[in-house]
Each structure stands twice: as C-alpha cells, then as structure tokens.
Amino acid sequence: MKWCDCQTYIEITPPEHFNFHECLLFLNRSDQEIVHVIHEEGVYKLLKINDSIILCRIVYNDQVLAVHFPIEVPSTEEKREVVRFICEWFDLDRNVELFYQAAEQDQLLSRLTLTYRGLRMIGIPDLFEALTWAIIGQQINLTFAYKLKRRFIEKYGEYMTFKGKTFWLFPQPEKIAILTVKELRALQFSTRKAEYVIGVARLIRDGYVTKDDLQGKDYDTIKQELVAIRGIGNWTADYVLMKCFRRANALPIADVGLHNALKIQLGLDKKPSIKEIEVIATNWEGWQAYATFYLWRSLYDEPV
C-alpha cells in the first residue's frame, strides 16, 4: 500500500473502488458504538501499539486518506503500524474489481455492487476483539449486543479524552482473563457468555491461540481450530474468518442479518432456509464474505 509520511500526519493512497463515505455509513450503524467515533466527515480511532496509545483522525481529501494525530505524533515505526492497521481495517489491499466482475453474473449482487460501489469489507483486525464481539452477539438482537459491548468496554477498556470527547480501546485479554463470571454477569452477560469470553481471553493471554499462528493456515484448518474453542460454533468461526482473517470465501450462513437481507432483497414471504441460501450462494464462489457484507449494508437502507 502506497503511503507518505508527512511528518505530523500520514497520507495513504487507497486503491481503485474505494468509497470512504460508504465505509463511514457502515461504521456509524449504531449509536452505541464506542471503539471508533464518527465526527465531522471523519473517524477517530484509538490504537494501542506496543505500549503507546495513539489517537488517529482519519479523513478523505483529494483522493487520499489523511491520518492526523490530534494529541501526539507517533514514531516512524508506530506510523507504519498505524498504516498496517488501517489497511487491514478497510481491506485496502483487496482487488475488489474481481468481486465486481464476479457480481455481474448474479442479478442480486450486480444490483448491490452498483448501489454500494467502493464499500470495503470493514474488518476487526484484533483477534480477541473479533472473537469477543462474535460471542457477545450470539443469539441476541444487535441492539442489545451493542449495549453489552459498550458496558464491557467502558468497564474494562482503556481510554483517552480530547476536546471533551472520550475515545476507547477494546479491553485487552490480559485484563479479562483474570475476571470472574460474576463480574461479567453484573454487566448482563449470560453465565455461558461470561465463561466463553474469559476462556478465550485466557487462551490468547497464554499464547495458545494467536492470530499470527492461525493466519498462515488454510480456511478449513483455521475453522477447525476455532470451533475447538469452547463457545465458538460454526457461525462464530465463519464470522471471525470473515472479519478478522479477511477470508473472502467465508460465509456465515446461519447469520440472521444475512437471512433478513436476502428475504428483503429477493422479495420473499419468509426468510430463506439454509439449503436455499446454499443454492443462492452458488454464484458467490470465492466472494461469499463480500456478498454477505453488501447484503448487511443493504439492511441500513430499510425502514426500521
């Protein structure tokens, strides 16, 4: 990814087919979200790189992403890590032209890719955050999931204030690993979810599960190792493969949002069955994650 160190800020040149406005719309889908803040046509993101906490403000001007540092300008090495994170977060190293070419063969996708052209699959680069968020979202509605997530972050996350606004980091696994189930139950976590989140935190803290180790493995191996973790089922594993490992062929086929979007977009009387989705998805081969993500995006155009 081409980028320029402009001393007090960074400029990243995004690839073709990049729509920052569409990405912001997706990031802004819940007013309970606090791991990033949308403000004045930009997004603020707090990052922890080694022991440094860095506040970034990302805006899009003159065909470049400008990354400003409102509090303190990081070192050159830290800037490289900021660029790496942003490229992964916005999936900037993906040639989505190939997705658009494939989508032309599918009536549903061709319509969605025309409407949301330039939308990138927004990821969750941190493995603990991705796993925890997926566990929180199991079998509850999205509104309550965001409330649980916010309570979790405000209780156990680090933060920084700037001009009267508070910016949060997702909690570190080391902090969550020493909690009791009772402490998470006080936030309205179910007993099972509390056990799962603490268990995942301990595995990551102790080095039994690492993103670097899993990253180089094939899809099926990663999924097999993820579902071996207590509390991680097929949907959670597929979601993490999609959002953290950025596997374009990940398909969280049991996802309720996917089912609702297909029902709306295809004008069905009821949500499609898993077998029906398998048939529908035959045209998505290699791009199932992007197809799912664009279908999720379509939900935010529908009246609540």
Side-chain angles (χ1 to χ4, degrees), residues 37-304:
V37 175
I38 309 298
H39 184 62
E40 294 179 345
E41 299 183 357
V43 57
Y44 285 84
K45 180 70 175 174
L46 198 61
L47 298 176
K48 189 166 189 177
I49 297 173
N50 299 323
D51 293 324
S52 299
I53 297 179
I54 300 165
L55 180 62
C56 306
R57 178 175 179 260
I58 308 165
V59 294
Y60 187 68
N61 292 316
D62 299 324
Q63 309 302 310
V64 299
L65 281 171
V67 186
H68 298 273
F69 306 103
I71 296 178
E72 185 175 349
V73 178
S75 68
T76 300
E77 182 56 37
E78 288 167 341
K79 286 176 183 174
R80 288 194 186 96
E81 288 301 304
V82 169
V83 171
R84 183 200 60 76
F85 178 89
I86 291 171
C87 289
E88 191 170 352
W89 191 23
F90 288 102
D91 204 29
L92 296 181
D93 56 4
R94 181 91 57 192
N95 182 2
V96 294
E97 175 62 31
L98 298 176
F99 169 54
Y100 294 149
Q101 290 174 6
E104 290 176 1
Q105 311 306 312
D106 184 277
Q107 187 176 2
L108 170 59
L109 287 189
S110 63
R111 185 172 71 249
L112 293 177
T113 54
L114 183 63
T115 303
Y116 307 122
R117 204 107 180 145
L119 173 65
R120 296 275 164 161
M121 186 168 69
I122 308 300
I124 306 174
D126 180 74
L127 179 59
F128 178 62
E129 180 180 348
L131 284 167
T132 301
W133 174 226
I135 290 169
I136 287 173
Q138 292 172 356
Q139 298 181 324
I140 59 175
N141 66 62
L142 197 58
T143 300
F144 185 55
Y146 270 111
K147 288 180 180 178
L148 281 183
K149 178 182 172 183
R150 180 169 189 150
R151 292 170 190 165
F152 181 70
I153 294 168
E154 289 180 335
K155 181 71 173 178
Y156 300 110
E158 295 177 79
Y159 66 90
M160 181 178 285
T161 57
F162 175 71
K163 290 187 175 180
K165 291 184 179 295
T166 303
F167 304 94
W168 291 90
L169 285 170
F170 197 84
Q172 299 292 299
E174 293 78 11
K175 191 163 188 176
I176 306 306
I178 60 174
L179 297 180
T180 64
V181 169
K182 184 178 179 180
E183 287 172 294
L184 288 185
R185 288 282 292 135
L187 303 180
Q188 287 192 285
F189 277 66
S190 68
T191 298
R192 289 286 191 224
K193 285 187 182 180
E195 291 172 349
Y196 298 159
V197 168
I198 293 169
V200 166
R202 290 172 179 169
L203 288 173
I204 292 177
R205 177 199 62 183
D206 297 339
Y208 292 113
V209 176
T210 71
K211 185 176 179 180
D212 286 344
D213 179 55
L214 291 170
Q215 189 79 271
K217 298 180 179 179
D218 63 62
Y219 185 99
D220 290 336
T221 302
I222 297 174
K223 184 168 180 177
Q224 184 178 15
E225 293 191 23
L226 287 177
V227 297
I229 300 169
R230 184 167 180 255
I232 308 299
N234 285 323
W235 173 83
T236 306
D238 288 329
Y239 180 86
V240 172
L241 276 156
M242 173 183 174
K243 297 281 278 180
C244 184
F245 293 97
R246 298 189 298 144
R247 297 302 173 99
N249 60 333
L251 177 61
I253 199 165
D255 185 78
V256 173
L258 173 62
H259 300 176
N260 286 334
L262 285 170
K263 176 179 179 293
I264 294 166
Q265 292 299 318
L266 297 175
L268 304 177
D269 293 329
K270 61 180 181 178
K271 290 185 285 188
S273 67
I274 296 297
K275 288 189 177 298
E276 288 171 330
I277 295 172
E278 288 174 347
V279 173
I280 293 167
T282 54
N283 289 335
W284 305 351
E285 188 61 38
W287 293 102
Q288 293 94 322
Y290 257 83
T292 300
F293 194 73
Y294 271 59
L295 281 158
W296 285 346
R297 168 64 184 89
S298 72
L299 289 171
Y300 300 101
D301 287 340
E302 297 300 321
V304 176

Side-chain angles (χ1 to χ4, degrees), residues 1-12:
M1 179 56 57
K2 182 180 178 182
W3 67 283
C4 174
D5 186 344
C6 303
Q7 300 304 317
T8 59
Y9 67 100
I10 292 169
E11 286 187 347
I12 302 172

